[in-house]
Amino acid sequence: MTDKAAMRATMRHFRDQFVARVRPAMSARPGLLADMSAGKIVAAYLPMGSEADAMPLIDAAIGRGCAIALPHVTHRHAPMRLLAWAPGAPLEAGPFGLRQPRADAPEVAPDIILTPLMAFDSGLNRLGQGAGYYDRFFALHPTARRIGVAWSMQHVGQVPTDPWDVALHAVITEQDWIAAL
């Protein structure tokens, strides 16, 4: 399967079934914990639907002294911003059903980006939702460590890629830590 739209639809269906059937739980792995140290800014996300839940990873980052930021989106063609956030801080509704920090929260630059995805492959290529927010954000922050957060069933043989797609440095699943060699 090489069509991105078809792969997204298929993976969303399988991911929904997987989460409903297995009820997996995410936890921080040693590979990820090694990247987290006091003072670093970790970009995360609040899951929608059957996306892998990054909250246990957010909790681990806070426990290691990291600051947290979440994406803030205004509309499809505007760049995603990364705004400071802490658990319990107010959130507002954003496009596409996002829960995001208030627009007046401070904008920050990440050291680590925990990113949701639809599928990933062994080359650490990522298939996202299709709007390109994360690939554009990755290009603006090339030194940030890019870590996909996924369920193990989202690992596929090959993700179709385009020239603008940016590969990940690692992926964490409920079962494993997969890092670039």
Side-chain angles (χ1 to χ4, degrees):
M1 180 184 312
T2 59
D3 177 71
K4 285 183 172 184
M7 182 178 264
R8 279 186 194 96
T10 299
M11 292 306 295
R12 186 173 289 110
H13 172 76
F14 287 142
R15 185 182 70 187
D16 290 348
Q17 287 185 332
F18 174 77
V19 169
R21 187 180 73 253
V22 177
R23 303 219 185 272
M26 188 65 63
S27 63
R29 304 258 176 240
L32 176 60
L33 294 174
D35 285 339
M36 295 178 172
S37 58
K40 286 193 175 179
I41 297 173
V42 176
Y45 65 93
L46 300 177
M48 295 188 333
S50 59
E51 286 180 336
D53 186 0
M55 204 61 207
L57 310 179
I58 291 170
D59 291 341
I62 291 169
R64 296 181 75 83
C66 298
I68 304 300
L70 296 177
H72 186 274
V73 175
T74 55
H75 59 81
R76 186 170 189 90
H77 301 292
M80 179 173 80
R81 297 184 316 141
L82 193 61
L83 304 182
W85 178 79
L91 295 167
E92 62 186 25
F96 317 111
L98 292 174
R99 293 177 298 145
Q100 58 189 19
R102 293 173 27 152
D104 60 354
E107 189 167 351
V108 296
D111 297 298
I112 299 169
I113 304 169
L114 301 176
T115 181
L117 50 84
M118 292 305 304
F120 70 96
D121 63 24
S122 295
L124 299 177
N125 295 300
R126 168 191 174 274
L127 180 69
Q129 294 283 358
Y133 287 111
Y134 277 94
D135 286 310
R136 290 190 304 270
F137 194 78
F138 294 160
L140 293 173
H141 300 278
T143 61
R145 187 121 162 94
R146 300 177 301 275
I147 301 171
V149 182
W151 303 123
S152 56
M153 56 72 52
Q154 292 175 268
H155 192 173
V156 299
Q158 184 175 4
V159 168
T161 59
D162 289 306
W164 55 83
D165 292 327
V166 180
L168 301 168
H169 294 109
V171 173
I172 187 169
T173 74
E174 82 283 6
Q175 295 179 351
D176 210 357
W177 171 255
I178 304 157
L181 298 176

